[in-house]
């Protein structure tokens, strides 16, 4: 079946809306010249007409004088043609033509409108073609996902372990037959229900809110004890759910699993960088690793604060004990206190009958990493201060003070000093945490590390994705070096994953770079070329005019050149045409 035919209802809505808004007839045909939708009569387009040429060449055609135009010379219906003017544009999918969208005029009023605004209408119709293409792409993706889901369900039902999938709201979305047997439930009984209703003692909150975290626990279900692993499911660095698996593990192995899943060992050698600024930070972090002083890691999101925290822990005398990360911003406020300090049996409705240890208790003799400390509720800051002062904790519902020996490494991307002045963060806690401040520089301040990091990620993900080794072209490296990286190392990591996924060649070239990087590069080129012409202070309007004319010199005065110039300048096509029209009148 034609891919366009599968989204016929959507295309019909688009063509109808175009015809009503422009008062010009519109149509869409597929590769077999069938009219998928539109306001033009006839089931099929002419087999040797201009539409066929669009399919064969992949080019658009604007014809102002049908029957007389050279493009109409081979059309068998030329003498019967009632069209007064038309624009036909190809619809692409993955670089191949899958159909044609056209605007057709059948009277003088329509023709006059099309001819007068042909360039803006061309830009509009090309945008509509891209819209239809993206809809086809999504439709095919949904079909593929549906097919994969069927295969996945068949696979997970053949394995011997039980599996349950939950979303970020703790609701069950799927389970295999072995999990259903363990729970003594049917899929209809558990689907869309909270996992807490079925397994009250299972804690999956940390897995849902932590980036690289897998937890292990022992849980009693229907009178039997099961070993349960919970692993975060991620898509584009965003947690979309968790996989709960039931496994049989002997008692001796339990201690091994606890250790393995709580401690992901990192050394300072794992922190990639050769720039002076990053080496200075690494040297400072190494120097203070073996002290027990509290450390405050400062830096923008994505700079690698948790990486530094882990490296400090594993370089310290506490390395043999637990490193416990806690994201203070990701855990709901009403759960954060119980997560940090634990609770006694029956402390509140829904509490486990056996109670639960908190993160501070689990980190005893080791290190607790309080990420996003600036988002910690004000009332909890007092309890953290008590831990720092007295080295004791008290569980929710408890009456006994428990001694604790834990080192605190905190991190934030906020200005805590300013928050103290505004009364949003406790001053005494700030000075307790800020014993050794370490500022981790953003990637834009260590540009000499960009290529090194990109090549490291390239090698690492090529191995992980089981793809042949790839390398970056010199132009790609130049563009990466010129980008500001607002998302820092994490953004670069994601970009490299994207490039490996979409590249089909050994050398990764600029043609597959995300548009945000290309726009930055093009705009930089235009501004650089313009700057060579500016030798004195001139009005902004004149600078704007120079920029526009320089962009047209770079990309050309054709319709396609104007589209590229507008994109490089960061303005719409309509704005560009309006400015050019004003310059002609001046």
């Amino acid at each position: 079946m034609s891919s366009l035919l599968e989204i016929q209802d959507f295309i019909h809505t688009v063509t109808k809306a175009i015809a009503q808004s422009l008062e010009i007839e519109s149509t869409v045909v597929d590769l077999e010249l069938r009219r998928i939708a539109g306001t033009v009569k006839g089931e099929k387009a002419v087999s040797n007409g201009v539409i066929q040429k669009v399919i064969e060449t992949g080019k658009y055609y604007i014809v102002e004088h049908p029957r007389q135009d050279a493009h109409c010379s081979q059309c068998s219906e030329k003498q019967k043609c009632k069209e007064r003017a038309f624009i036909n544009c190809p619809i692409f999918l993955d670089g191949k033509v899958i159909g044609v969208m056209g605007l057709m005029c059948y009277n003088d009023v329509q023709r006059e409108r099309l001819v007068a605004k042909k360039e803006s209408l061309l830009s509009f119709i090309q945008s509509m073609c891209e819209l239809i293409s993206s809809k086809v792409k999504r439709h095919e993706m949904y079909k593929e996902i549906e097919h994969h889901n069927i295969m996945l369900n068949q696979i997970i039902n053949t394995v011997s372990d039980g599996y349950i999938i939950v979303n970020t709201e703790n609701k069950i979305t799927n389970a295999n037959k072995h999990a259903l047997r363990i729970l003594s439930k049917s899929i209809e009984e558990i689907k869309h229900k909270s996992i807490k209703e079925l397994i009250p003692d299972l804690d999956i909150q940390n897995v849902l809110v932590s980036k690289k975290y897998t937890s292990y626990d022992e849980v009693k279900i229907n009178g039997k004890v099961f070993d349960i692993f919970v692993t975060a499911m991620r898509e584009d660095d965003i947690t979309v759910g968790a996989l709960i698996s039931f496994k049989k593990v002997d008692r001796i192995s339990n201690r091994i699993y606890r250790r393995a899943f709580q401690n992901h060992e990192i050394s300072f050698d794992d922190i990639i960088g050769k720039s002076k600024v990053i080496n200075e930070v690494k040297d400072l972090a190494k120097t203070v690793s073996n002290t027990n002083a509290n450390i405050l890691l400062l830096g923008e999101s994505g700079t690698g604060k948790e990486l530094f925290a882990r490296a400090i822990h594993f370089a310290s005398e506490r390395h043999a004990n637990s490193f416990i990360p806690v994201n203070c911003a990701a855990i709901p406020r009403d759960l954060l206190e119980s997560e940090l300090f634990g609770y006694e049996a029956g402390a509140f409705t829904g509490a486990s009958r056996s109670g639960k240890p908190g993160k501070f208790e689990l980190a005893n003799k080791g290190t607790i990493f309080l990420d996003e400390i600036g988002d910690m509720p004000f009332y909890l800051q007092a309890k953290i201060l008590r831990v720092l002062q007295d080295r004791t904790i008290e569980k929710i519902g408890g009456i006994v003070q428990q001694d604790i020996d834990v080192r605190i490494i905190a991190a934030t991307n906020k200005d805590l000093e300013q928050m103290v002045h505004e009364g949003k963060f406790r001053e005494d806690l700030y000075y307790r945490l800020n014993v050794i401040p370490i500022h981790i520089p953003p990637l834009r301040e260590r540009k000499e590390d960009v290529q090194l990091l990109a090549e490291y990620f390239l090698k690492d993900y090529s191995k992980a994705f089981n793809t042949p080794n790839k390398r970056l072209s010199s132009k790609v490296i130049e563009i990466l070096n010129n980008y500001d990286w607002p998302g820092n190392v994490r953004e670069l990591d994601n970009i490299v994953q994207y490039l490996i996924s979409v590249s089909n060649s050994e050398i990764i070239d600029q043609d597959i770079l995300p548009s945000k990087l290309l726009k930055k590069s093009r705009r930089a080129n235009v501004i650089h070329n313009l700057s060579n012409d500016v030798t004195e202070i001139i009005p902004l309007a004149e600078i704007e005019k120079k920029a526009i004319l320089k962009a047209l010199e770079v990309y050309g005065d054709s319709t396609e050149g104007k589209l590229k110039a507008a994109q490089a300048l960061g303005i719409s096509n309509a704005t560009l045409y309006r400015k050019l029209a004003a310059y002609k009148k001046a």
Side-chain angles (χ1 to χ4, degrees):
M1 179 183 287
S2 164
S3 54
L4 292 175
L5 198 58
E6 291 181 344
I7 61 164
Q8 186 175 30
D9 290 343
F10 173 78
I11 295 175
H12 178 73
T13 301
V14 171
T15 55
K16 185 178 179 181
I18 291 173
Q20 290 176 345
S21 60
L22 300 180
E23 296 183 358
I24 297 176
E25 309 304 324
S26 67
T27 187
V28 171
V29 302
D30 63 9
L31 295 182
E32 297 179 17
L33 300 177
R34 290 177 297 191
R35 295 198 190 278
I36 303 300
T39 57
V40 178
K41 295 180 179 179
E43 295 182 359
K44 297 191 71 173
V46 181
S47 60
N48 55 357
V50 177
I51 289 179
Q52 182 66 45
K53 287 188 177 182
V54 175
I55 293 173
E56 293 172 354
T57 64
K59 298 179 180 179
Y60 67 82
Y61 290 93
I62 300 177
V63 175
E64 298 181 23
H65 302 283
R67 297 179 298 282
Q68 302 172 27
D69 196 288
H71 297 308
C72 300
S73 60
Q74 302 299 320
C75 180
S76 60
E77 300 294 319
K78 180 172 64 173
Q79 300 304 323
K80 300 178 182 179
C81 181
K82 297 181 180 180
E83 294 174 7
R84 304 298 303 276
F86 58 81
I87 299 176
N88 287 327
C89 287
I91 302 172
F92 290 99
L93 180 65
D94 297 331
K96 297 180 179 179
V97 178
I98 60 170
V100 178
M101 171 173 269
L103 294 180
M104 284 75 178
C105 301
Y106 290 92
N107 57 53
D108 291 338
V109 174
Q110 290 179 336
R111 182 183 182 280
E112 184 178 349
R113 187 179 297 116
L114 185 144
V115 172
K117 299 181 178 181
K118 60 184 177 183
E119 291 183 337
S120 59
L121 287 176
L122 173 62
S123 176
F124 172 74
I125 205 71
Q126 288 173 329
S127 298
M128 293 300 99
C129 288
E130 291 177 4
L131 175 65
I132 291 173
S133 176
S134 64
K135 183 69 174 180
V136 172
K137 190 75 173 178
R138 286 197 298 271
H139 181 74
E140 291 186 350
M141 181 184 68
Y142 292 149
K143 287 201 309 182
E144 185 176 355
I145 290 173
E146 185 178 359
H147 175 68
H148 286 169
N149 284 340
I150 293 173
M151 295 181 64
L152 178 62
N153 285 332
Q154 292 175 346
I155 292 171
I156 65 174
N157 278 318
T158 62
V159 297
S160 58
D161 296 321
Y163 288 98
I164 296 176
I165 298 174
V166 299
N167 60 21
T168 54
E169 297 177 350
N170 292 335
K171 299 295 179 64
I172 298 171
T173 61
N174 206 347
N176 71 351
K177 62 182 181 182
H178 301 293
L180 295 174
R181 187 175 64 248
I182 291 170
L183 296 171
S184 300
K185 301 284 185 180
S186 67
I187 188 64
E188 291 76 20
E189 290 178 291
I190 69 171
K191 201 166 186 179
H192 305 309
K193 285 190 175 181
S194 171
I195 189 67
K196 285 291 185 182
E197 294 183 39
L198 299 170
I199 316 176
D201 294 338
L202 180 61
D203 178 19
I204 68 170
Q205 195 60 37
N206 273 330
V207 171
L208 290 175
V209 299
S210 184
K211 182 179 180 182
K212 295 180 180 177
Y213 192 89
T214 301
S215 71
Y216 164 77
D217 203 354
E218 295 177 29
V219 175
K220 183 178 287 188
I221 303 173
N222 294 332
K224 296 181 180 180
V225 176
F226 290 89
D227 300 290
I228 296 182
F229 295 83
V230 183
T231 304
M233 299 190 302
R234 305 186 68 81
E235 181 179 347
D236 296 332
D237 206 35
I238 298 174
T239 299
V240 295
L243 177 67
I244 301 168
S245 57
F246 302 82
K247 294 181 180 291
K248 295 180 179 179
V249 182
D250 61 66
R251 299 303 104 195
I252 296 176
S253 298
N254 286 347
R255 291 191 295 273
I256 299 174
Y257 278 111
R258 286 194 186 95
R259 177 76 174 274
F261 288 114
Q262 287 179 354
N263 294 304
H264 177 49
E265 188 166 347
I266 291 291
S267 72
F268 285 104
D269 291 336
D270 294 314
I271 301 175
I272 307 300
K274 62 181 180 180
S275 63
K276 180 182 178 181
V277 63
I278 199 65
N279 281 329
E280 288 176 350
V281 175
K282 287 166 69 172
D283 289 342
L284 173 60
K286 287 179 186 178
T287 301
V288 302
S289 291
N290 271 323
T291 72
N292 278 318
N294 297 322
I295 294 174
L296 180 61
L297 300 175
L298 304 166
E300 298 175 7
S301 179
T303 51
K305 295 188 287 294
E306 182 171 343
L307 202 63
F308 269 89
R310 287 184 181 274
I312 291 169
H313 168 76
F314 286 105
S316 73
E317 295 178 353
R318 298 174 178 268
H319 68 274
N321 297 303
S322 296
F323 174 87
I324 303 295
V326 180
N327 190 318
C328 301
I331 301 175
R333 293 193 168 209
D334 55 347
L335 295 178
L336 186 56
E337 184 175 4
S338 64
E339 285 293 318
L340 289 172
F341 300 102
Y343 56 82
E344 297 289 357
F348 50 83
T349 302
S352 170
R353 291 184 293 275
S354 58
K356 180 186 172 183
K359 300 303 186 223
F360 274 103
E361 185 177 351
L362 293 174
N364 194 28
K365 304 296 182 182
T367 303
I368 188 168
F369 174 53
L370 300 178
D371 198 9
E372 306 295 352
I373 189 71
D375 291 287
M376 177 168 287
F378 200 84
Y379 77 94
L380 270 185
Q381 295 175 24
K383 294 198 70 170
I384 299 295
L385 184 64
R386 174 62 62 86
V387 175
L388 291 170
Q389 290 175 335
D390 300 342
R391 296 293 170 180
T392 61
I393 61 170
E394 183 179 311
K395 292 183 177 181
I396 296 175
I399 57 174
V400 178
Q401 296 286 328
Q402 179 181 341
D403 291 336
I404 199 80
D405 173 19
V406 63
R407 184 188 198 177
I408 294 180
I409 300 177
T412 184
N413 57 13
K414 295 184 176 181
D415 186 344
L416 289 188
E417 193 167 356
Q418 180 63 32
M419 292 179 67
V420 169
H421 292 320
E422 295 173 355
K424 297 179 180 178
F425 199 86
R426 291 183 65 107
E427 184 177 16
D428 44 8
L429 177 59
Y430 170 67
Y431 289 115
R432 284 278 186 176
L433 294 174
N434 195 34
V435 177
I436 302 176
I438 298 178
H439 177 76
I440 302 175
L443 191 53
R444 63 179 173 275
E445 293 180 6
R446 41 183 293 221
K447 287 293 185 70
E448 54 266 58
D449 292 337
V450 171
Q451 182 177 351
L452 190 66
L453 284 162
E455 291 175 346
Y456 170 80
F457 291 139
L458 199 64
K459 181 178 179 180
D460 194 42
Y461 286 120
S462 292
K463 182 178 180 180
F465 296 164
N466 195 27
T467 61
N469 289 332
K470 301 177 185 293
R471 58 190 179 91
L472 304 173
S473 71
S474 58
K475 185 61 178 177
V476 168
I477 292 173
E478 178 187 345
I479 293 172
L480 295 182
N481 284 332
N482 290 331
Y483 185 58
D484 286 339
W485 298 109
N488 294 295
V489 178
R490 184 182 296 132
E491 184 181 10
L492 177 57
D493 184 330
N494 292 342
I495 290 291
V496 173
Q497 287 191 62
Y498 167 80
L499 294 176
I500 290 179
S501 300
V502 302
S503 173
N504 294 319
S505 60
E506 179 184 349
I507 300 176
I508 296 176
D509 211 346
Q510 68 185 89
D511 59 333
I512 62 170
L513 284 176
S515 59
K516 61 180 179 181
L517 271 72
L518 293 174
K519 287 179 181 178
K520 175 78 175 179
S521 176
R522 289 168 182 162
R523 191 173 295 114
N525 287 338
V526 171
I527 294 173
H528 174 74
N529 292 334
L530 173 63
S531 65
N532 294 332
D533 292 345
V534 178
T535 57
E536 59 181 348
I537 299 176
I538 56 179
L540 289 175
E542 188 64 26
I543 293 175
E544 180 186 66
K545 182 177 180 180
K546 280 179 174 288
I548 290 175
L549 297 179
K550 178 62 71 175
L552 292 177
E553 284 183 23
V554 174
Y555 295 104
D557 196 43
S558 65
T559 300
E560 185 176 357
K562 290 175 181 176
L563 294 177
K564 290 182 178 179
Q567 187 178 30
L569 291 165
I571 61 177
S572 68
N573 298 335
T575 299
L576 178 64
Y577 282 114
R578 188 174 67 252
K579 297 287 184 183
L580 291 175
Y583 299 153
K584 289 179 181 179
K585 293 179 180 179

